[in-house]
């Protein structure tokens, strides 16, 4: 198997007219890593991917692949595999010809092309579909063709631009698993662009969250999820409680005036995930990180009950309680006490 | 990955070169070179005054405008119901109507003109029918006069109008008409107050394109017209072919070209707006 | 007051009549061309192919056919090739003044053909190009270009740019992208453009009239020259041939569109 190659962006900038779309992005991806660029539309993730592919030449900075400077190299010289957003399957070619395309262009021998196409199609479980055309395939099957075409030449780096965006939820989950499996089997470096945070968390070794053309935070999924550096990252990845707190000397006070202790950080916004907050009917015991409040509403989601709790001063805290054995349901209007551990919370800059 | 400006201009270059070298430069050279033969600017002016207001040329300009206007009006009156029918038709009926418009549209102008010459001749079908049903006692002179020119040009130009109107009518949102009907408007009201205003830009575009093409018409009036139906394009041809009088031809060309381009500018405006509306 | 039913029927009758009026002259010429009578009469009293025999037996008419076909083919290849490159640039690049450029490219349709023809003649006469067939084809390409550009632009707009990017990533050069992706996908449009530019040239009269001289007389020019003398029946046979070529071109175009699963879209819309 081919294995992967390292990828690096060094202070890469791209402007269109007066607008800076990507502003000095640097990142280093070791060989074989599954790396995700995550961000809302307009955050610069697609432009970043385009610079990696070679469709866009950066105004400043360097693109390095496998230790070689690729900044000015056209797409065909970069030896990449790529899965496109709407698959970009050639409508005038059948499945086999589509998958064979990267090899045909190179002028590979017929026998080799046949063997490799068969292998790639087997890998995406599309054996037997060789003679079909894209319009005769379902969305999921088209996705597989695109994937097979991306890996058929055993590239060391594969780029994926929202590859699952057009699929329904169930299929998406299946394909996440399959893509990850193939990537690991072939050992390729994968760079994956998505705006779907769940997808990013499930699949990635590391995630870079982009905002306004910059990388807001970069790290393994669990780290960026649990230890966000900014309100943007906290709010973008899943549900987050972001409470305004006040500083009283060394002391930090929450909405009701109760003492707050946070795991880390210096700002005046308290971050804590809903699933880290416990809800109890008992009165506050006097320790830190205890907020009295009133249940506004309780949404029953099956395995989880999500409470919205009014903690005074117009602030609402979300708390997820697992619907486990002997779980009690707090009715709207009931007085409750919220609590969380200091290490599960952080103070972020406002 | 959009093309770079440079690549784009390189790809456009052969076509632009063709247009410039075989179209724009010849026109410019013909006009400039011919006028230069006349001498100084004031001499050109004098000549222009003499030529353009001479009886023959003045008459031709008048003829041209009059014929073009009449033909445009006829084409609009006939073309409007046809395009309306086309825009409402579906399936086989649509194909049939379309074919009736497109086949003549793509048939050579000279063939179409010839066809009418056959029909309108002294022993042509039209005269035969009229004589046959006893409407007339002797054949009518339908050709080599104004009647022939008008009939021939109307026939040749009709497809341009129909296709232009059709595009505008097809773009009308059916739901608007249904809404108007639903609010109790009579079919006539819906047509006059909703459909007509919505297709007005198409009508203007169609009228302009028909009039522009009619102004420069040559083949049909030359073959079907009489001595009293000389149009400006014919005069230009004659000056060059028969008398080699290039300066006079150039002066008339300037007049024809100026009017044409001004009208075309309007047309481009209108069709842009029509596009923006969609 | 007319009832709505009556009105609708009347409207239909008018449309049928108008449509009939549009094709009748063409059909009548075609039928009359098979007349066995001594002069052109409709309906013919007897049928024969005498006018076709006379038409095809005449060396000048045969030369005219050859000239028309040769010039038409050259025009078709030349304008489609140039037009393809230009249309690609117009569709894919973000050009300033795009609308103005398009208006300029379409002017050959608007400028009276007499003006274009006289101007081209002015130039050609000075350069000894009158009667040179390739040069006539170049001149015809000018007036065929607008149609070609409109057809090819709409064909190229249907080619997803993502496909071109995919081809580039998978190893294609710009030329490779053209050859392997753009051209095959735009092929029906290319054939359409070639057909209509051929037809434009094949039917063109005024420019040929000035540029053909005696050496390169085309069918329309030959028709013109003989029509100036008399409305002779041979021309009915020639006209029928021209109509047939038009029908074949339209039929081929319709077939292409059906193969692509498109509706009856027309150039000029």
């Amino acid at each position: 198997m081919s294995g992967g190659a390292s990828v690096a962006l060094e202070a890469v900038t791209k402007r269109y007219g007066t607008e800076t779309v990507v502003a000095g992005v640097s990142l280093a991806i070791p060989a074989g890593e599954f790396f995700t660029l995550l961000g809302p539309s307009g955050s610069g993730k697609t432009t970043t991917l385009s610079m990696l592919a070679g469709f866009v030449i950066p105004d400043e900075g360097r693109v390095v692949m496998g230790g070689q400077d690729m900044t000015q190299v056209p797409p065909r010289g970069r030896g990449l595999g790529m899965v496109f957003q709407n698959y970009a399957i050639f409508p005038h070619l059948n499945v086999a010809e589509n998958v064979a395309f990267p090899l045909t262009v190179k002028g590979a021998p017929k026998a080799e092309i046949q063997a490799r196409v068969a292998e790639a199609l087997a890998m995406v479980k599309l054996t037997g579909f060789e003679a079909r055309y894209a319009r005769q395939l379902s969305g999921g099957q088209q996705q597989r063709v695109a994937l097979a075409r991306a890996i058929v030449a055993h590239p060391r780096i594969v780029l994926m631009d929202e590859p699952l965006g057009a699929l329904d939820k169930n299929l998406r989950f299946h394909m996440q698993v399959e893509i990850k499996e193939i990537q690991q089997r072939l050992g390729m470096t994968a760079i994956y662009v998505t705006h779907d945070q769940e997808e990013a968390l499930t699949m990635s070794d590391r995630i870079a969250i982009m905002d306004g053309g910059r990388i807001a935070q970069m790290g393994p999924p669990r780290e960026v999820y649990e230890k966000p550096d900014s309100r943007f990252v906290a709010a973008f990845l899943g549900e987050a409680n972001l409470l305004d707190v006040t500083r009283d000397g060394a002391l930090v006070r929450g909405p009701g005036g109760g003492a707050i202790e946070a795991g880390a950080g210096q700002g005046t916004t308290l971050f804590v995930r809903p699933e880290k907050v416990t809800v109890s009917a008992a009165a506050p015991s006097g320790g830190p990180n205890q907020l009295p409040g009133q249940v506004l509403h309780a949404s029953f989601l099956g395995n989880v009950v999500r409470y919205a709790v009014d903690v005074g001063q117009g602030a609402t805290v979300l708390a997820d309680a697992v619907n486990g054995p002997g779980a009690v349901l707090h009715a709207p209007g009931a007085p409750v006490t919220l609590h969380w551990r200091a290490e599960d919370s952080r103070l972020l800059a406002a | 990955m959009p093309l770079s400006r440079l690549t784009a201009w390189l790809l456009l270059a052969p076509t632009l070169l063709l247009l410039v070298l075989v179209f724009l430069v010849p026109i410019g050279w013909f006009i400039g070179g011919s006028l230069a033969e006349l001498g100084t600017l004031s001499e050109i002016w004098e000549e222009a005054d003499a030529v353009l207001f001479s009886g023959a040329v003045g008459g031709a300009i008048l003829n041209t405008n009059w014929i073009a206007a009449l033909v445009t009006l006829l084409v609009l009156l006939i073309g409007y119901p046809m395009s309306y029918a086309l825009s409402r038709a579906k399936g086989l009926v649509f194909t049939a109507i379309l074919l009736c418009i497109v086949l003549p549209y793509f048939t050579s102008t000279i063939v179409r003109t010839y066809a009418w010459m056959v029909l309108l001749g002294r022993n042509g079908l039209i005269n035969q029918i009229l004589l046959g049903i006893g409407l007339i006692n002797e054949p009518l002179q339908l050709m080599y006069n104004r009647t022939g020119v008008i009939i021939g040009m109307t026939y040749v130009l009709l497809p341009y109008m129909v296709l232009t109107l059709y595009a505008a009518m097809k773009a009308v949102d059916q739901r608007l008409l249904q809404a108007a009907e639903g609010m109790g408007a009579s079919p006539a009201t819906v047509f006059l107050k909703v459909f007509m205003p919505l297709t007005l830009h198409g009508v203007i575009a169609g009228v302009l394109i028909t009039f522009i093409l009619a102004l420069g018409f040559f083949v049909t009036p030359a073959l079907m017209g009489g001595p009293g139906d000389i149009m400006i394009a014919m005069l230009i041809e004659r000056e060059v072919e028969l008398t080699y009088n290039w300066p006079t031809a150039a002066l008339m060309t300037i007049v024809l070209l100026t009017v044409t381009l001004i009208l075309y500018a309007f047309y481009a405006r209108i069709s842009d707006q029509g596009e923006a509306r969609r | 007051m007319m009832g709505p039913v009556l009105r609708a029927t009347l409207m239909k009758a008018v449309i049928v009549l108008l449509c009939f009026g549009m094709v009748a002259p063409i059909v009548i010429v075609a039928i009359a061309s098979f007349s066995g009578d001594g002069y052109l009469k409709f309906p013919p009293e007897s049928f024969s192919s005498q006018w076709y025999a006379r038409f095809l037996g005449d060396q000048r008419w045969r030369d005219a056919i050859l000239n028309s076909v040769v010039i038409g083919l050259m025009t078709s290849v030349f304008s489609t090739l140039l037009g393809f490159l230009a249309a690609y640039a117009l569709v894919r690049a973000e050009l300033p003044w795009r609308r103005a450029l398009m208006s300029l490219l379409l002017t050959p349709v608007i400028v009276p053909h007499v003006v274009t023809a006289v101007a081209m003649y002015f130039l050609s006469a000075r350069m000894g190009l009158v009667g040179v067939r390739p040069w006539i084809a170049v001149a015809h390409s000018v007036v065929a270009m607008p149609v070609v550009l409109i057809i090819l632009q709409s064909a190229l707009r249907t080619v997803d740019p993502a496909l071109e990017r995919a081809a580039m990533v998978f190893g294609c050069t710009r030329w490779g992208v053209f050859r392997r992706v753009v051209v095959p996908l735009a092929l029906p449009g290319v054939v359409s453009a070639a057909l209509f530019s051929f037809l434009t040239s094949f039917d063109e009269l005024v420019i040929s009239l000035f540029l053909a001289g005696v050496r390169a007389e085309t069918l329309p020019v030959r028709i013109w020259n003989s029509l100036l003398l008399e409305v002779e029946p041979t021309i009915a046979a020639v006209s029928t041939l021209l109509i047939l070529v038009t029908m074949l071109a339209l039929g081929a175009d319709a077939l292409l569109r059906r193969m692509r699963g498109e509706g009856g879209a027309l150039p000029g819309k």
Side-chain angles (χ1 to χ4, degrees):
Chain A
M1 288 291 128
S2 55
S6 66
V7 176
L9 291 180
E10 296 173 2
V12 160
T13 296
K14 182 67 200 177
R15 297 180 200 90
Y16 288 116
T18 54
E19 199 189 351
T20 305
V21 188
V22 174
V25 164
S26 293
L27 44 85
I29 305 165
E33 186 170 80
F34 197 111
F35 185 86
T36 297
L37 287 166
L38 175 68
S41 53
S43 60
K45 58 186 195 304
T46 302
T47 308
T48 306
L49 193 76
S50 294
M51 289 193 284
L52 286 165
F55 303 142
V56 174
I57 307 292
D59 296 323
E60 289 161 29
R62 293 203 317 152
V63 179
V64 182
M65 291 171 171
Q68 271 182 299
D69 186 344
M70 291 284 186
T71 317
Q72 301 292 335
V73 177
R76 64 174 184 278
R78 300 191 180 199
L80 303 169
M82 186 158 180
V83 181
F84 290 81
Q85 191 161 15
N86 289 310
Y87 319 132
I89 296 172
F90 302 117
H92 60 302
L93 303 178
N94 66 25
V95 168
E97 289 162 342
N98 260 286
V99 175
F101 191 89
L103 305 170
T104 318
V105 172
K106 270 193 229 157
K110 263 214 166 98
E112 186 195 331
I113 293 180
Q114 269 182 352
R116 290 233 187 167
V117 169
E119 175 204 40
L121 283 178
M123 218 177 279
V124 299
K125 307 191 177 87
L126 267 189
T127 308
F129 286 80
E130 285 83 354
R132 301 257 196 117
Y133 284 84
R135 58 179 180 275
Q136 301 165 309
L137 299 174
S138 70
Q141 289 165 338
Q142 292 184 34
Q143 218 289 322
R144 287 164 196 269
V145 174
L147 188 59
R149 186 179 58 179
I151 59 169
V152 72
H154 293 202
R156 296 152 75 83
I157 301 161
V158 173
L159 309 179
M160 298 188 227
D161 186 6
E162 308 248 6
L164 306 179
L167 300 182
D168 65 48
K169 204 172 170 165
N170 251 332
L171 204 53
R172 208 149 67 197
F173 180 70
H174 261 290
M175 288 309 297
Q176 285 173 11
V177 175
E178 277 187 43
I179 289 176
K180 182 83 194 195
E181 220 175 74
I182 291 171
Q183 181 257 341
Q184 281 175 339
R185 179 134 46 110
L186 298 179
M188 329 171 281
T189 308
I191 301 174
Y192 194 98
V193 162
T194 181
H195 66 269
D196 182 327
Q197 22 122 350
E198 237 174 87
E199 206 167 280
L201 293 172
T202 327
M203 301 177 77
S204 320
D205 295 321
R206 274 196 311 150
I207 301 174
I209 296 165
M210 293 197 67
D211 178 32
R214 291 168 201 282
I215 293 180
Q217 194 172 350
M218 186 155 51
R222 190 158 179 189
E223 186 186 303
V224 287
Y225 182 78
E226 292 184 344
K227 299 192 171 93
D229 287 339
S230 62
R231 284 184 75 114
F232 173 80
V233 174
F236 188 72
L237 275 183
E239 291 286 349
N241 289 304
L242 294 165
L243 291 173
D244 291 333
V245 296
T246 48
R247 280 188 175 276
D248 186 0
L251 239 69
V252 179
R253 296 191 180 280
I260 299 288
E261 273 178 19
Q266 291 302 318
T268 54
T269 298
L270 179 84
F271 155 83
V272 61
R273 294 276 176 206
E275 66 270 22
K276 303 289 187 188
V277 180
T278 59
V279 185
S280 73
S285 64
N289 297 341
Q290 293 197 17
L291 277 183
Q294 225 178 9
V295 175
L296 276 178
H297 45 82
S299 319
F300 182 69
L301 307 175
N303 55 342
V304 164
V305 182
R306 169 160 295 176
Y307 293 102
V309 179
D310 180 3
V311 295
Q313 296 186 352
T316 307
V317 173
L318 295 178
D320 288 350
V322 176
N323 190 13
V328 206
L329 202 70
H330 304 279
V336 291
T337 301
L338 302 175
H339 171 73
W340 59 88
R341 304 187 312 168
E343 57 265 45
D344 289 335
S345 66
R346 289 166 78 81
L347 286 171
L348 307 175
Chain B
M1 180 170 178
L3 285 177
S4 72
R5 289 266 166 87
L6 181 70
T7 319
W9 286 117
L10 279 175
L11 291 172
L12 277 166
T15 298
L16 288 175
L17 222 59
L18 174 76
L19 196 72
V20 170
L21 292 183
V22 191
F23 182 65
L24 299 179
V25 164
I27 291 178
W29 194 7
F30 152 57
I31 293 174
S34 304
L35 293 186
E37 284 177 27
L38 290 172
T40 64
L41 212 60
S42 62
E43 281 169 306
I44 293 174
W45 188 249
E46 246 169 65
E47 180 69 15
D49 193 52
V51 166
L52 298 179
F53 297 99
S54 75
V57 178
I61 291 176
L62 219 63
N63 269 343
T64 306
N65 279 296
W66 175 234
I67 291 174
L70 194 58
V71 166
T72 304
L73 183 70
L74 283 173
V75 163
L76 178 64
L77 290 178
I78 302 172
Y80 201 89
M82 285 190 90
S83 348
Y84 183 77
L86 186 63
S87 72
R88 292 288 161 273
K90 288 187 184 68
L92 217 61
V93 179
F94 173 81
T95 313
I97 302 178
L98 190 67
L99 196 71
C100 291
I101 293 155
V102 169
L103 183 61
Y105 182 61
F106 284 109
T107 299
S108 182
T109 308
I110 192 159
V111 171
R112 283 186 278 171
T113 305
Y114 170 72
W116 276 101
M117 291 171 79
V118 171
L119 288 177
L120 297 178
R122 272 190 84 78
N123 301 314
L125 187 62
I126 306 280
N127 268 324
Q128 279 181 46
I129 292 174
L130 293 178
L131 283 169
I133 57 176
L135 218 62
I136 51 171
N137 292 322
E138 55 184 271
L140 291 175
Q141 182 69 33
L142 296 169
M143 206 168 43
Y144 305 125
N145 58 16
R146 188 63 56 94
T147 314
V149 175
I150 301 286
I151 293 176
M153 283 178 67
T154 303
Y155 178 67
V156 173
L157 289 171
L158 198 55
Y160 292 94
M161 176 68 89
V162 174
L163 293 176
T164 311
L165 287 177
Y166 167 73
M169 289 178 179
K170 196 72 202 169
V172 172
D173 191 340
Q174 279 296 278
R175 286 169 301 182
L176 282 177
L177 306 182
Q178 284 159 5
E181 256 171 59
M183 284 183 277
S186 72
T189 313
V190 173
F191 187 78
L192 289 174
K193 295 271 156 102
V194 185
F195 191 77
M196 289 267 269
L198 282 173
T199 53
L200 189 65
H201 68 97
V203 170
I204 296 174
V207 163
L208 280 172
I209 195 79
T210 311
F211 190 74
I212 289 172
L213 294 172
L215 280 184
F217 237 61
F218 167 64
V219 176
T220 311
L223 289 175
M224 295 181 78
D229 307 303
I230 307 279
M231 289 178 78
I232 189 91
M234 294 162 64
L235 221 48
I236 294 175
E237 189 255 357
R238 279 186 198 182
E239 293 297 337
V240 172
E241 284 277 84
L242 298 179
T243 57
Y244 294 99
N245 192 348
W246 291 96
T248 308
L251 285 169
M252 290 188 286
T253 298
I254 293 174
V255 175
L256 180 57
L257 212 51
T258 310
V259 176
T260 302
L261 291 179
I262 290 173
L263 291 174
Y264 179 49
F266 276 115
Y267 170 80
R269 270 296 274 278
I270 299 269
S271 54
D272 275 4
Q273 282 167 4
E275 235 166 72
R277 212 179 279 217
R278 255 166 257 165
Chain C
M1 278 298 286
M2 269 193 289
V5 178
L6 187 65
R7 198 164 44 205
T9 315
L10 200 70
M11 168 94 182
K12 269 181 199 147
V14 168
I15 298 302
V16 169
L17 210 67
L18 288 176
C19 285
F20 180 75
M22 288 303 286
V23 280
I26 292 175
V27 174
I28 287 170
V29 164
I31 294 173
S33 71
F34 290 100
S35 157
D37 314 333
Y39 64 100
L40 214 56
K41 206 169 154 214
F42 189 87
E45 276 162 13
S46 59
F47 288 92
S48 81
S49 57
Q50 55 169 330
W51 306 117
Y52 288 89
R54 197 181 285 191
F55 163 37
L56 295 170
D58 184 333
Q59 183 63 42
R60 274 190 81 183
W61 280 112
R62 284 208 303 268
D63 288 347
I65 295 178
L66 183 71
N67 283 330
S68 275
V69 169
V70 168
I71 293 171
L73 288 176
M74 286 194 282
T75 304
S76 175
V77 171
F78 189 64
S79 61
T80 306
L81 196 71
L82 261 58
F84 188 84
L85 301 178
Y88 187 76
L90 286 167
V91 168
R92 283 286 184 266
E94 286 150 22
L95 294 168
W97 303 100
R98 199 180 165 284
R99 277 188 187 287
L101 190 66
M102 216 36 224
S103 298
L104 177 73
L105 289 168
L106 298 184
T107 38
V109 177
I110 296 306
V111 169
H113 279 202
V114 164
V115 171
T116 311
V118 166
M120 284 173 171
Y121 177 58
F122 186 87
L123 180 95
S124 311
R126 274 158 183 70
M127 301 194 159
L129 288 167
V130 171
V132 178
R133 290 190 298 195
W135 175 247
I136 299 171
V138 169
H140 281 176
S141 296
V142 170
V143 287
M145 195 52 85
V147 183
V148 169
L149 284 176
I150 287 169
I151 296 175
L152 287 176
Q153 277 194 75
S154 75
L156 285 169
R157 269 197 207 102
T158 64
V159 180
D160 184 356
L163 296 175
E164 295 180 35
R165 285 198 290 270
M168 283 193 273
V169 163
F170 295 127
C172 284
T173 57
R174 269 260 181 230
W175 166 240
V177 174
F178 248 62
R179 187 169 66 87
R180 289 178 190 274
V181 178
V182 182
V183 174
L185 286 174
L187 198 59
V190 172
V191 176
S192 247
L195 278 173
F196 282 107
S197 52
F198 177 83
L199 210 54
T200 304
S201 164
F202 201 72
D203 289 346
E204 207 289 328
L205 167 62
V206 185
I207 291 172
S208 311
L209 200 57
F210 281 89
L211 297 189
V214 276
R215 278 186 291 162
E217 210 178 38
T218 60
L219 276 178
V221 174
R222 184 89 192 83
I223 297 177
W224 168 269
N225 284 337
S226 52
L227 269 187
L228 286 181
L229 300 175
E230 57 163 333
V231 186
E232 67 164 309
T234 316
I235 297 171
V238 186
S239 294
T240 307
L241 177 79
L242 281 163
I243 294 164
L244 188 73
V245 170
T246 303
M247 285 171 75
L248 284 177
L250 289 177
D253 183 63
L255 203 70
L256 273 170
R257 284 177 200 281
R258 173 154 313 176
M259 273 161 54
R260 291 262 296 157
E262 285 172 26
L266 273 168
K269 277 200 302 189

